[in-house]
Every structure is written in structure tokens, then in C-alpha cells.
Amino acid sequence: MSTTNGQWYPPEWPERIRLLSAGELTPVTPRRAATVLLLRDGPCGTAGQDAPQDAQDAQGGDEEHTPDESDAAARPGAARESAAPEPAAAAEAPETPPEDLPNAAGGAVGPAVYMLRRRASMAFAGGAYAYPGGSVDPRDERMVTWAGPSRAQWARRLGLDRSEGTQAQAIVCAAVRETFEEAGVLLAGPTPHTVVADTTGDDWEADRAALVARDLSFAEFLDRRGLVLRSDLLSCWARWITPEFEPRRYDTWFFVAALPRGQRTRNASTEADRTVWIRPGDAADGYDRGELLMMPPTIATLRQLADYGSVADALAAATDRDLTPVLARARVENGELVLSWPGHDEFTKHIPGATGGPSA
């Protein structure tokens, strides 16, 4: 259920809020999760159509991407204190934009973001547009060959205790793994300074399917292929926690990353029925008109990204982003339940006919 705009709002939430307020509902512990906002520069037609061929050629071909010396990734397993590298150049993606996406209304500029639409049959946020992502697999804690900031550095950046390096690795691994599982894009390479150029083909698809089925751990996948996880190609953008009254709760870190040169996105997810490359501003306009259904974290990150003119600008800004978790609150005010997300006033809702006391 949504409102006059495209805000995802389940009809059972008011009653669950009342139960929580009355102390009759015990919050579920959220599962840790990660999602990735894949970005690319270059022309993007109305509703995220693919770039013209000449623009694609300018962005790079199918060769393996080898960053310049500023891309200072560490040796496998070693810590690195330097800043994140310049993003890899973007490559063309073959998605066909959904017919019901809005046309670009304001001549939006800046990078395009890859989005998928969750199938209407999904129990959580069915029909909503989102980014590739999912829950942390306990096996994501298994040691992998690693390039980029150390695990302790990632723990600090993610808001964890510095000693929780293994947990930080699991979150980063989940981000990379889920992006490969759902979009066919892999932020890993044969060396700490390279990224695989092509993840298509029957052998790649077999490994992707095995990861999805949990027949293969991500560590086993990387080891078998002799790949290094490129944590330096990710930057963390935000952190949102599902409200306490929702039965399916996630503590989710939102990452940004450039689409590696030579790789192509594809709808590899069984949870999505459509995918699209679209300007954040255009997607936000569609949400405002009630044409695109989204959860608050999705539209919030889109509005934030719309301010940047390039992938490099967005990734540079990510290093200073506040990662204080955003958690919805509910209170009783003048006989109404007031549902709000701190720092995001646009999502505030007033629900009439409230009973019971306020929730934390």
C-alpha cells in the first residue's frame, strides 16, 4: 500500500504500531544486510534508456580495467590507510527500461543509478523499486583475499567496534556478493589493481546460481577463481534500520560503487521483474507523482545522489557521509499516531484513531 506519492506503506503498520505502543509486540532483532547503488556516468535517455553507442565507446570497452597509480589498493590481506581510488569507468548495460517508468521531466544531469523492481508477490516491499542487495550470509565471515581499506578500518567506517573486523568484512562481502547475484556485476579482480572484465558465460552463471542457492560460499567462489575482493571500489553512503514494528527487519548499510569497465548489468535476480538505469532526479520525480513505489531509504538516497554531477563526485562525497542509523519512531499526539524517520521529515505520517502509549 502507498500514499499519494510512491511511499511504501503496508496497511498492517498502524495496528502493529499500536501493539508495540501497548507493549504487546516484541521487536524482532534486525538482520544485517547490505545494498549497493551502482552508478555510471554518460548519457542516459528518458527513463534510463541505454547510452548511444558513441558514448558507450568513450566510456570503455570489454578489456580488463587497470586503474592508474592513484588506485592504490593493498596487497591481499594487507591493511591500507590511503583514501579510496578514483572510480572505474562505466560501461553500457543492456537493460530495457520499463514501459511504465516516467519520462525525464527536468533534463536531469549527473550519474545514472541501477534499480530493480521487486516482484509484486514478494512478502516484503513487493512492487517497490530498490537496489541490488540482501542479508549477510554467516559464511561471508570466512577469510577472503582482500584489497583496499583494512577490515578494522571498515569496522570503524561502518560504525562497528574496531575489533569487529570480521563482521565488517561480512557486510562488505555481502554487498559485493549480492551485487553479483542480482545484477551480474562483480567488484573483484585477479590482482589488487584490476577488475574482471566480463562475468557473462555459462561458467559464470553456474557459479552465480550456486551462490544464490547457497551451495557455494563467496569465499569459495573467490578462491576457486583466484580473485581478490576490491573493497576499495565501495564507499558507504547511509545506514537504515527497519522500524521496530515491522516483522521483517534489516540493519542495512547502503554502499555506492561505479560500474566496472567492461561489465554489464543484467536482471539476474528471481526477486525482480524489471530493471533500469535511471537518473536519481528522474526516479525521484516518478516517486513524487506516485508512479514509482519505493521504501523511505530508497527515495532518500536518490534525493541525496541527485545533487552530484558525476560518479566521482558522489564517491568522493561518500567518505564524509554521516552513517548514524536511521530508525523510524512512533508517538501518540492529539489522538493520532505520528510515524516519523529522524532527519527525514517528508516521510512523517499522521494516523488517526490512535490508542495506547508511545513507542521507543
Side-chain angles (χ1 to χ4, degrees):
M1 173 176 137
S2 67
T3 56
T4 53
N5 57 23
Q7 184 175 342
W8 179 70
Y9 180 68
E12 66 272 16
W13 271 12
E15 179 58 25
R16 295 190 64 84
I17 292 171
R18 294 185 179 95
L19 291 173
L20 182 66
S21 300
E24 299 176 14
L25 180 66
T26 302
V28 175
T29 301
R31 299 177 60 183
R32 285 179 169 172
T35 190
V36 176
L37 287 66
L38 280 175
L39 304 174
R40 72 174 190 186
D41 286 320
C44 184
T46 58
Q49 292 174 357
D50 294 335
Q53 186 62 48
D54 56 353
Q56 297 165 14
D57 294 340
Q59 294 181 64
D62 292 333
E63 72 278 7
E64 180 178 81
H65 167 54
T66 305
D68 60 26
E69 292 302 318
S70 66
D71 187 8
R75 292 293 176 185
R80 181 175 66 86
E81 296 292 340
S82 59
E86 291 297 314
E92 174 253 355
E95 279 72 27
T96 299
E99 295 178 358
D100 60 351
L101 279 176
N103 290 327
V109 296
V113 61
Y114 181 74
M115 303 190 74
L116 51 84
R117 188 178 70 179
R118 295 171 60 83
R119 294 185 183 277
S121 59
M122 297 294 294
F124 184 81
Y129 279 85
Y131 313 114
S135 300
V136 170
D137 182 337
R139 297 178 301 172
D140 289 332
E141 297 181 8
R142 296 181 181 178
M143 294 302 293
V144 298
T145 307
W146 181 275
S150 69
R151 293 160 177 83
Q153 287 175 286
W154 269 112
R156 184 168 61 248
R157 177 60 184 142
L158 298 177
L160 306 177
D161 186 272
R162 187 180 178 87
S163 64
E164 293 186 86
T166 301
Q167 296 299 313
Q169 176 197 283
I171 294 165
V172 173
C173 280
V176 177
R177 175 180 51 75
E178 288 284 345
T179 302
F180 179 58
E181 289 181 9
E182 297 196 345
V185 170
L186 183 60
L187 301 177
T191 74
H193 302 279
T194 57
V195 181
V196 293
D198 184 11
T199 60
T200 61
D202 292 343
D203 59 334
W204 285 102
E205 178 56 27
D207 280 351
R208 192 198 65 79
L211 286 169
V212 172
R214 300 297 181 259
D215 294 332
L216 182 69
S217 74
F218 193 56
E220 292 168 335
F221 164 72
L222 293 176
D223 183 64
R224 189 165 73 186
R225 287 188 170 269
L227 296 175
V228 181
L229 185 143
R230 291 289 305 275
S231 80
D232 53 322
L233 298 183
L234 286 165
S235 294
C236 201
W237 188 266
R239 180 182 178 185
W240 288 66
I241 301 176
T242 311
E244 293 178 329
F245 44 80
E246 168 60 41
R248 300 172 185 84
R249 300 190 66 210
Y250 301 92
D251 184 352
T252 305
W253 283 263
F254 288 73
F255 295 84
V256 290
L259 177 69
R261 179 179 298 172
Q263 293 193 35
R264 295 168 175 250
T265 52
R266 66 183 187 276
N267 185 6
S269 174
T270 58
E271 298 179 356
D273 57 11
R274 292 184 176 182
T275 61
V276 67
W277 281 99
I278 189 170
R279 303 286 187 208
D282 293 336
D285 289 343
Y287 167 91
D288 289 337
R289 293 192 295 268
E291 298 169 0
L292 301 184
L293 184 66
M294 297 181 200
M295 292 175 281
T298 308
I299 181 57
T301 50
L302 287 171
R303 293 202 196 284
Q304 293 157 356
L305 283 172
D307 293 335
Y308 298 95
S310 69
V311 173
D313 290 343
L315 293 186
T319 60
D320 296 322
R321 295 276 308 168
D322 181 5
L323 298 186
T324 301
V326 179
L327 174 63
R329 303 293 184 184
R331 67 183 187 276
V332 175
E333 186 176 285
N334 298 324
E336 291 183 325
L337 277 175
V338 181
L339 176 61
S340 62
W341 279 257
H344 299 271
D345 292 343
E346 73 164 296
F347 305 128
T348 299
K349 292 192 174 300
H350 296 263
I351 307 165
T355 58
S359 70

PDB file of all heavy atoms in Angstrom, residues 46-48 98-104 278 282-283 285-287 289 291-292:
ATOM      1  N   THR A  46      15.634   9.037 -21.759  1.00  0.00           N
ATOM      2  CA  THR A  46      14.456   9.138 -20.902  1.00  0.00           C
ATOM      3  C   THR A  46      14.196   7.810 -20.239  1.00  0.00           C
ATOM      4  O   THR A  46      14.274   6.753 -20.858  1.00  0.00           O
ATOM      5  CB  THR A  46      13.226   9.556 -21.725  1.00  0.00           C
ATOM      6  OG1 THR A  46      13.020   8.601 -22.764  1.00  0.00           O
ATOM      7  CG2 THR A  46      13.416  10.934 -22.322  1.00  0.00           C
ATOM      8  N   ALA A  47      13.867   7.916 -18.984  1.00  0.00           N
ATOM      9  CA  ALA A  47      13.571   6.731 -18.167  1.00  0.00           C
ATOM     10  C   ALA A  47      14.713   5.745 -18.125  1.00  0.00           C
ATOM     11  O   ALA A  47      14.514   4.573 -17.970  1.00  0.00           O
ATOM     12  CB  ALA A  47      12.307   6.033 -18.676  1.00  0.00           C
ATOM     13  N   GLY A  48      15.962   6.247 -18.292  1.00  0.00           N
ATOM     14  CA  GLY A  48      17.113   5.377 -18.109  1.00  0.00           C
ATOM     15  C   GLY A  48      17.456   4.517 -19.299  1.00  0.00           C
ATOM     16  O   GLY A  48      18.019   3.453 -19.154  1.00  0.00           O
ATOM     17  N   PRO A  98      11.638  -0.156 -18.157  1.00  0.00           N
ATOM     18  CA  PRO A  98      10.230  -0.498 -18.002  1.00  0.00           C
ATOM     19  C   PRO A  98       9.339   0.507 -18.712  1.00  0.00           C
ATOM     20  O   PRO A  98       9.585   1.704 -18.688  1.00  0.00           O
ATOM     21  CB  PRO A  98      10.022  -0.444 -16.478  1.00  0.00           C
ATOM     22  CG  PRO A  98      11.382  -0.621 -15.904  1.00  0.00           C
ATOM     23  CD  PRO A  98      12.316   0.011 -16.877  1.00  0.00           C
ATOM     24  N   GLU A  99       8.283   0.025 -19.313  1.00  0.00           N
ATOM     25  CA  GLU A  99       7.386   0.898 -20.056  1.00  0.00           C
ATOM     26  C   GLU A  99       6.670   1.885 -19.151  1.00  0.00           C
ATOM     27  O   GLU A  99       6.271   2.957 -19.578  1.00  0.00           O
ATOM     28  CB  GLU A  99       6.357   0.046 -20.806  1.00  0.00           C
ATOM     29  CG  GLU A  99       6.988  -0.842 -21.885  1.00  0.00           C
ATOM     30  CD  GLU A  99       5.947  -1.708 -22.567  1.00  0.00           C
ATOM     31  OE1 GLU A  99       4.768  -1.618 -22.163  1.00  0.00           O
ATOM     32  OE2 GLU A  99       6.291  -2.456 -23.479  1.00  0.00           O
ATOM     33  N   ASP A 100       6.481   1.534 -17.874  1.00  0.00           N
ATOM     34  CA  ASP A 100       5.705   2.409 -17.009  1.00  0.00           C
ATOM     35  C   ASP A 100       6.563   3.405 -16.235  1.00  0.00           C
ATOM     36  O   ASP A 100       6.072   4.125 -15.387  1.00  0.00           O
ATOM     37  CB  ASP A 100       4.868   1.588 -16.020  1.00  0.00           C
ATOM     38  CG  ASP A 100       5.726   0.697 -15.120  1.00  0.00           C
ATOM     39  OD1 ASP A 100       6.935   0.596 -15.371  1.00  0.00           O
ATOM     40  OD2 ASP A 100       5.163   0.118 -14.183  1.00  0.00           O
ATOM     41  N   LEU A 101       7.877   3.453 -16.522  1.00  0.00           N
ATOM     42  CA  LEU A 101       8.708   4.444 -15.862  1.00  0.00           C
ATOM     43  C   LEU A 101       8.397   5.819 -16.423  1.00  0.00           C
ATOM     44  O   LEU A 101       8.083   5.968 -17.604  1.00  0.00           O
ATOM     45  CB  LEU A 101      10.191   4.138 -16.066  1.00  0.00           C
ATOM     46  CG  LEU A 101      10.772   3.080 -15.139  1.00  0.00           C
ATOM     47  CD1 LEU A 101      12.213   2.793 -15.512  1.00  0.00           C
ATOM     48  CD2 LEU A 101      10.704   3.521 -13.697  1.00  0.00           C
ATOM     49  N   PRO A 102       8.512   6.861 -15.589  1.00  0.00           N
ATOM     50  CA  PRO A 102       8.213   8.209 -16.059  1.00  0.00           C
ATOM     51  C   PRO A 102       9.261   8.717 -17.021  1.00  0.00           C
ATOM     52  O   PRO A 102      10.414   8.295 -16.979  1.00  0.00           O
ATOM     53  CB  PRO A 102       8.225   9.030 -14.766  1.00  0.00           C
ATOM     54  CG  PRO A 102       9.192   8.305 -13.888  1.00  0.00           C
ATOM     55  CD  PRO A 102       8.965   6.843 -14.201  1.00  0.00           C
ATOM     56  N   ASN A 103       8.859   9.628 -17.912  1.00  0.00           N
ATOM     57  CA  ASN A 103       9.822  10.284 -18.769  1.00  0.00           C
ATOM     58  C   ASN A 103      10.599  11.313 -17.964  1.00  0.00           C
ATOM     59  O   ASN A 103      10.110  11.870 -16.993  1.00  0.00           O
ATOM     60  CB  ASN A 103       9.115  10.989 -19.939  1.00  0.00           C
ATOM     61  CG  ASN A 103       8.535   9.996 -20.914  1.00  0.00           C
ATOM     62  OD1 ASN A 103       9.091   8.922 -21.116  1.00  0.00           O
ATOM     63  ND2 ASN A 103       7.412  10.334 -21.508  1.00  0.00           N
ATOM     64  N   ALA A 104      11.844  11.568 -18.390  1.00  0.00           N
ATOM     65  CA  ALA A 104      12.645  12.585 -17.723  1.00  0.00           C
ATOM     66  C   ALA A 104      11.965  13.928 -17.890  1.00  0.00           C
ATOM     67  O   ALA A 104      11.709  14.370 -18.995  1.00  0.00           O
ATOM     68  CB  ALA A 104      14.044  12.610 -18.332  1.00  0.00           C
ATOM     69  N   ILE A 278      18.597   4.763 -14.430  1.00  0.00           N
ATOM     70  CA  ILE A 278      17.797   5.983 -14.400  1.00  0.00           C
ATOM     71  C   ILE A 278      18.507   7.058 -13.579  1.00  0.00           C
ATOM     72  O   ILE A 278      19.227   6.743 -12.627  1.00  0.00           O
ATOM     73  CB  ILE A 278      16.389   5.695 -13.825  1.00  0.00           C
ATOM     74  CG1 ILE A 278      15.450   6.895 -13.983  1.00  0.00           C
ATOM     75  CG2 ILE A 278      16.479   5.241 -12.379  1.00  0.00           C
ATOM     76  CD1 ILE A 278      13.994   6.578 -13.654  1.00  0.00           C
ATOM     77  N   ASP A 282      15.193  11.832 -11.895  1.00  0.00           N
ATOM     78  CA  ASP A 282      14.036  11.344 -12.638  1.00  0.00           C
ATOM     79  C   ASP A 282      13.268  10.301 -11.839  1.00  0.00           C
ATOM     80  O   ASP A 282      12.034  10.271 -11.842  1.00  0.00           O
ATOM     81  CB  ASP A 282      14.480  10.747 -13.984  1.00  0.00           C
ATOM     82  CG  ASP A 282      15.050  11.792 -14.929  1.00  0.00           C
ATOM     83  OD1 ASP A 282      14.710  12.980 -14.769  1.00  0.00           O
ATOM     84  OD2 ASP A 282      15.836  11.423 -15.817  1.00  0.00           O
ATOM     85  N   ALA A 283      13.993   9.424 -11.161  1.00  0.00           N
ATOM     86  CA  ALA A 283      13.331   8.424 -10.323  1.00  0.00           C
ATOM     87  C   ALA A 283      12.574   9.094  -9.177  1.00  0.00           C
ATOM     88  O   ALA A 283      11.455   8.705  -8.847  1.00  0.00           O
ATOM     89  CB  ALA A 283      14.365   7.441  -9.770  1.00  0.00           C
ATOM     90  N   ASP A 285      11.308  12.097  -9.237  1.00  0.00           N
ATOM     91  CA  ASP A 285      10.122  12.724  -9.811  1.00  0.00           C
ATOM     92  C   ASP A 285       8.998  11.703  -9.978  1.00  0.00           C
ATOM     93  O   ASP A 285       7.824  11.995  -9.715  1.00  0.00           O
ATOM     94  CB  ASP A 285      10.449  13.358 -11.167  1.00  0.00           C
ATOM     95  CG  ASP A 285      11.312  14.610 -11.035  1.00  0.00           C
ATOM     96  OD1 ASP A 285      11.384  15.161  -9.921  1.00  0.00           O
ATOM     97  OD2 ASP A 285      11.913  15.021 -12.047  1.00  0.00           O
ATOM     98  N   GLY A 286       9.338  10.502 -10.431  1.00  0.00           N
ATOM     99  CA  GLY A 286       8.335   9.459 -10.577  1.00  0.00           C
ATOM    100  C   GLY A 286       7.726   9.067  -9.253  1.00  0.00           C
ATOM    101  O   GLY A 286       6.529   8.793  -9.152  1.00  0.00           O
ATOM    102  N   TYR A 287       8.543   9.024  -8.218  1.00  0.00           N
ATOM    103  CA  TYR A 287       8.044   8.750  -6.864  1.00  0.00           C
ATOM    104  C   TYR A 287       7.079   9.845  -6.426  1.00  0.00           C
ATOM    105  O   TYR A 287       5.990   9.566  -5.893  1.00  0.00           O
ATOM    106  CB  TYR A 287       9.224   8.657  -5.912  1.00  0.00           C
ATOM    107  CG  TYR A 287       8.868   8.678  -4.450  1.00  0.00           C
ATOM    108  CD1 TYR A 287       8.635   7.499  -3.752  1.00  0.00           C
ATOM    109  CD2 TYR A 287       8.777   9.889  -3.757  1.00  0.00           C
ATOM    110  CE1 TYR A 287       8.314   7.523  -2.397  1.00  0.00           C
ATOM    111  CE2 TYR A 287       8.454   9.918  -2.408  1.00  0.00           C
ATOM    112  CZ  TYR A 287       8.217   8.740  -1.729  1.00  0.00           C
ATOM    113  OH  TYR A 287       7.895   8.760  -0.399  1.00  0.00           O
ATOM    114  N   ARG A 289       5.215  11.715  -8.130  1.00  0.00           N
ATOM    115  CA  ARG A 289       3.942  11.638  -8.851  1.00  0.00           C
ATOM    116  C   ARG A 289       3.158  10.378  -8.501  1.00  0.00           C
ATOM    117  O   ARG A 289       2.066  10.160  -9.032  1.00  0.00           O
ATOM    118  CB  ARG A 289       4.198  11.676 -10.363  1.00  0.00           C
ATOM    119  CG  ARG A 289       4.744  13.006 -10.865  1.00  0.00           C
ATOM    120  CD  ARG A 289       4.680  13.065 -12.386  1.00  0.00           C
ATOM    121  NE  ARG A 289       5.544  12.068 -13.013  1.00  0.00           N
ATOM    122  CZ  ARG A 289       6.810  12.290 -13.377  1.00  0.00           C
ATOM    123  NH1 ARG A 289       7.366  13.469 -13.141  1.00  0.00           N
ATOM    124  NH2 ARG A 289       7.523  11.348 -13.949  1.00  0.00           N
ATOM    125  N   GLU A 291       4.071   7.342  -9.228  1.00  0.00           N
ATOM    126  CA  GLU A 291       4.222   6.352 -10.296  1.00  0.00           C
ATOM    127  C   GLU A 291       5.216   5.254  -9.944  1.00  0.00           C
ATOM    128  O   GLU A 291       5.148   4.159 -10.511  1.00  0.00           O
ATOM    129  CB  GLU A 291       4.654   7.057 -11.582  1.00  0.00           C
ATOM    130  CG  GLU A 291       3.634   8.062 -12.088  1.00  0.00           C
ATOM    131  CD  GLU A 291       4.155   8.940 -13.204  1.00  0.00           C
ATOM    132  OE1 GLU A 291       5.319   8.780 -13.610  1.00  0.00           O
ATOM    133  OE2 GLU A 291       3.389   9.804 -13.672  1.00  0.00           O
ATOM    134  N   LEU A 292       6.152   5.544  -9.059  1.00  0.00           N
ATOM    135  CA  LEU A 292       7.157   4.566  -8.657  1.00  0.00           C
ATOM    136  C   LEU A 292       7.069   4.346  -7.156  1.00  0.00           C
ATOM    137  O   LEU A 292       7.192   5.284  -6.368  1.00  0.00           O
ATOM    138  CB  LEU A 292       8.566   5.048  -9.022  1.00  0.00           C
ATOM    139  CG  LEU A 292       8.852   5.325 -10.489  1.00  0.00           C
ATOM    140  CD1 LEU A 292      10.323   5.688 -10.672  1.00  0.00           C
ATOM    141  CD2 LEU A 292       8.487   4.136 -11.361  1.00  0.00           C
TER     142      LEU A 292
END
